[in-house]
Amino acid sequence: MPQTSTRPLAIFGGTFDPVHLGHLSVAWEAAELLDAEVRLLPASVPPHRAPPIASAAQRVAILRAALQGQSRLTLDTRELDRAGPSYTVDTLHELRVEQGERPLVLLLGADAFAGLASWHRWRELFGAAHLGVLSRPGVSAVLPDELEREVAGRRVAGASALRALPAGRVIELAVTPLEISATRIRELLAAGRDPRYLLPAGLFDNPALLAPYRTPAV
Ligand code: ATP
């Protein structure tokens, strides 16, 4: 494969229902550690989980408000524009066509990474991108055998190794642990609480943004 020294493009997918400081802080640190552009990529119909509480448009509005005032983290809404389930492998193939040989890095929290072998065409992911695994509190580093076998020969320690190839390596990114989850934030909002310091500044100035979460789902 040709050598390249291009700045990597990192993709951080998720439901973002809603985006919180756990997401933003690890995405930011990954951008620093990899010296990469990081795009947040909200998923429309996650194939492997329950549908989001907020609509796609509502989650995008929250993400836009959350990302204001900086340019290191950007938003990519392509999966929301696609009909049907959004498979990460399809998105990465699409990005590969757009980005040529530029290194792509799929960022995953340690919990998401541990469940990778249940993803659609998961082995193809390694041909499409590098994987950057973000440490997450309470998640064990032990992987299912099938995944460990696939990953074993791919691990690299330093970010520079990701620049030499467009895809195929796995790097652990030791980010500051923040024990925040969207589940907890939805619970707090549904209970009438005010989790403002778990969420990015700006969301509480516009109460309509968090309205979808304020009444419990029926
Ligand atoms: P939920 O509680 O609804 O499952 P979540 O907080 O895990 O949501 P997602 O949108 O499902 O958020 O996660 C998107 C990505 O962000 C996943 O790869 C997940 O592992 C990662 N992630 C979420 N919160 C954190 C955190 N606090 N630290 C590290 N990674 C995180």
Side-chain angles (χ1 to χ4, degrees):
M1 250 182 257
Q3 294 287 303
T4 171
S5 61
T6 320
R7 194 163 177 247
L9 172 62
I11 300 298
F12 190 38
T15 323
F16 302 119
D17 188 30
V19 68
H20 53 69
L21 286 183
H23 297 127
L24 295 175
S25 127
V26 296
W28 185 271
E29 287 196 34
E32 288 186 321
L33 291 170
L34 299 173
D35 187 20
E37 173 190 346
V38 174
R39 288 193 199 168
L40 272 57
L41 217 128
S44 56
V45 187
H48 52 284
R49 53 182 293 169
I53 299 290
S55 69
Q58 288 167 329
R59 287 180 290 130
V60 167
I62 295 169
L63 276 160
R64 284 198 204 288
L67 294 174
Q68 263 174 29
Q70 55 78 47
S71 57
R72 188 165 227 161
L73 307 180
T74 57
L75 182 61
D76 187 329
T77 59
R78 75 181 63 219
E79 290 194 351
L80 302 178
D81 306 332
R82 210 188 268 157
S86 46
Y87 291 116
T88 302
V89 66
D90 295 330
T91 301
L92 289 175
H93 286 319
E94 203 175 292
L95 282 163
R96 174 59 64 211
V97 172
E98 290 168 20
Q99 301 289 328
E101 295 293 291
R102 183 179 186 185
L104 296 177
V105 186
L106 176 64
L107 298 175
L108 293 170
D111 56 320
F113 180 60
L116 198 74
S118 68
W119 289 27
H120 186 58
R121 288 155 47 208
W122 67 278
R123 288 179 203 277
E124 266 183 58
L125 295 169
F126 298 94
H130 300 299
L131 264 66
V133 184
L134 308 157
S135 43
R136 190 167 183 185
V139 181
S140 137
V142 180
L143 299 178
D145 290 349
E146 188 184 24
L147 180 58
E148 183 53 48
R149 274 197 298 277
E150 185 64 46
V151 163
R154 300 182 178 278
R155 294 187 195 275
V156 292
S160 57
L162 302 189
R163 288 170 182 264
L165 288 169
R169 299 284 183 252
V170 176
I171 187 168
E172 303 274 339
L173 298 168
V175 293
T176 308
L178 284 183
E179 202 163 353
I180 304 175
S181 71
T183 302
R184 179 69 182 148
I185 286 171
R186 291 194 299 273
E187 284 168 3
L188 290 169
L189 288 167
R193 300 266 301 274
D194 174 7
R196 67 176 55 219
Y197 296 118
L198 303 181
L199 289 166
L203 297 194
F204 284 89
D205 302 337
N206 181 352
L209 285 176
L210 296 173
Y213 305 104
R214 290 213 190 266
T215 41
V218 279

